[in-house]
Amino acid sequence: MRRDIFQAIADPTRRSIITLIALQAMTPNAIAEHFDSTRQAISKHLRILTECELVKQEYRGREIYYQLEVKKMKEIDKWLDQFRKIWETSFNQLDKVLLTMKKQKR
Amino acid sequence: MRRDIFQAIADPTRRSIITLIALQAMTPNAIAEHFDSTRQAISKHLRILTECELVKQEYRGREIYYQLEVKKMKEIDKWLDQFRKIWETSFNQLDKVLLTMKKQKR
DNA sequence: AATTTGCGAAACCGAATAGTTGCACATATA
DNA sequence: TATATGTGCAACTATTCGGTTTCGCAAATT
């Protein structure tokens, strides 16, 4: 199923899960312990995160380890690029204005 | 009303609007011309974007000009920082963990 | 003064969402 | 072999979401 990564990170619980499994692979049960909702609810979140490839699974016996696919996060970073350019240039424009004012002062 | 910025950028139409008014302030009518949905639908999106302060309004007569508040986008960038640290390491820590797990498996 | 234009708000609707409970099933463990 | 454990899936529910249509109102235009 095709999933939107921005829709995936819209939910605060999912963002917490992402942070939780960023450095360590964890099982659904272990993850669920960090939240108030049921294991099934967490499982649903993991399904959504897996569907948009933000999270990868590794099967070990009856356990499944989930862990963040960090590379996928770059997509958000890439989308931010267009705005990064703006907030950098708007800073430059401010410098420009300040510079002009200094020049006029003389 | 308190709004979540991540929930705001979850909708593809809203992301398009954001890009559209990133460099130029625009009226709802002008924005709506770029989409298939009605002006009222766009107005709803603008309301949500305004509520989470991603967009600023400027009243001019009976017209209202909407423009992106670029600074607010930095919040997303800031959230990405924790993951940027991970993907920027030359030897991915995540791969390291996986390797350790595979070794323990043997 | 009468009409047109630009806008937001309200009421409504179908679809999606996030949560629950109750299962089925494979894998460990006794 | 019998039981406990880890997991995903299905069915159901309340709520939210994105869209439309209809309306009211203020500002511009005639």
Side-chain angles (χ1 to χ4, degrees):
Chain A
M1 190 195 182
R2 189 99 187 110
R3 279 275 183 182
D4 180 17
I5 189 176
F6 289 95
Q7 191 271 337
I9 63 162
D11 185 82
T13 304
R14 280 199 288 271
R15 285 203 300 281
S16 295
I17 292 176
I18 286 173
T19 301
L20 200 59
I21 60 175
L23 294 170
Q24 263 197 340
M26 290 175 74
T27 65
N29 264 323
I31 296 168
E33 281 173 15
H34 290 76
F35 300 92
D36 287 333
S37 46
T38 61
R39 178 192 58 78
Q40 284 92 334
I42 301 300
S43 210
K44 260 189 166 184
H45 284 306
L46 288 170
R47 188 170 186 263
I48 290 167
L49 291 171
T50 307
E51 276 170 359
C52 71
E53 294 173 313
L54 258 173
V55 155
K56 50 188 168 185
Q57 302 169 300
E58 200 201 315
Y59 292 80
R60 269 217 273 168
R62 66 180 167 187
E63 289 179 322
I64 306 176
Y65 283 82
Y66 288 87
Q67 126 186 75
L68 179 65
E69 186 69 79
V70 200
K71 281 170 282 182
K72 192 72 178 179
M73 299 295 284
K74 288 186 184 179
E75 280 189 20
I76 303 163
D77 197 58
K78 199 180 167 189
W79 180 73
L80 277 181
D81 260 350
Q82 56 184 317
F83 309 109
R84 200 170 285 118
K85 282 172 192 164
I86 299 170
W87 78 55
E88 279 167 3
T89 56
S90 66
F91 191 77
N92 288 345
Q93 281 181 343
L94 184 66
D95 289 340
K96 224 173 184 175
V97 171
L98 288 176
L99 208 70
T100 311
M101 286 170 67
K102 274 188 179 177
K103 279 179 181 172
Q104 287 175 338
K105 240 180 176 176
R106 290 179 204 150
Chain B
M1 191 195 185
R2 190 97 185 110
R3 279 272 184 184
D4 181 17
I5 191 177
F6 289 95
Q7 191 270 337
I9 63 163
D11 185 81
T13 304
R14 280 198 290 271
R15 285 201 302 279
S16 295
I17 293 176
I18 286 174
T19 302
L20 200 59
I21 61 175
L23 293 170
Q24 263 198 339
M26 290 174 74
T27 65
N29 264 323
I31 296 168
E33 279 173 17
H34 290 75
F35 300 93
D36 289 331
S37 47
T38 61
R39 177 191 57 80
Q40 285 89 337
I42 301 300
S43 210
K44 260 188 167 185
H45 284 306
L46 287 170
R47 187 169 186 263
I48 290 166
L49 291 171
T50 306
E51 277 170 357
C52 71
E53 295 173 312
L54 258 174
V55 155
K56 51 187 168 186
Q57 301 169 302
E58 196 200 317
Y59 291 81
R60 264 205 274 169
R62 66 181 168 186
E63 289 179 323
I64 305 176
Y65 284 83
Y66 289 86
Q67 182 164 22
L68 179 65
E69 186 70 79
V70 200
K71 282 171 284 180
K72 193 73 177 181
M73 299 295 284
K74 288 187 183 178
E75 280 189 20
I76 303 163
D77 198 57
K78 199 181 167 189
W79 180 73
L80 277 181
D81 260 351
Q82 57 185 317
F83 310 109
R84 200 170 286 118
K85 282 172 193 165
I86 300 171
W87 80 55
E88 274 177 0
T89 47
S90 53
F91 188 78
N92 205 321
Q93 282 193 338
L94 227 54
D95 291 334
K96 220 173 184 174
V97 171
L98 275 180
L99 208 71
T100 311
M101 285 172 64
K102 277 188 180 175
K103 277 179 183 171
Q104 290 173 339
K105 219 177 178 182
R106 290 177 205 150

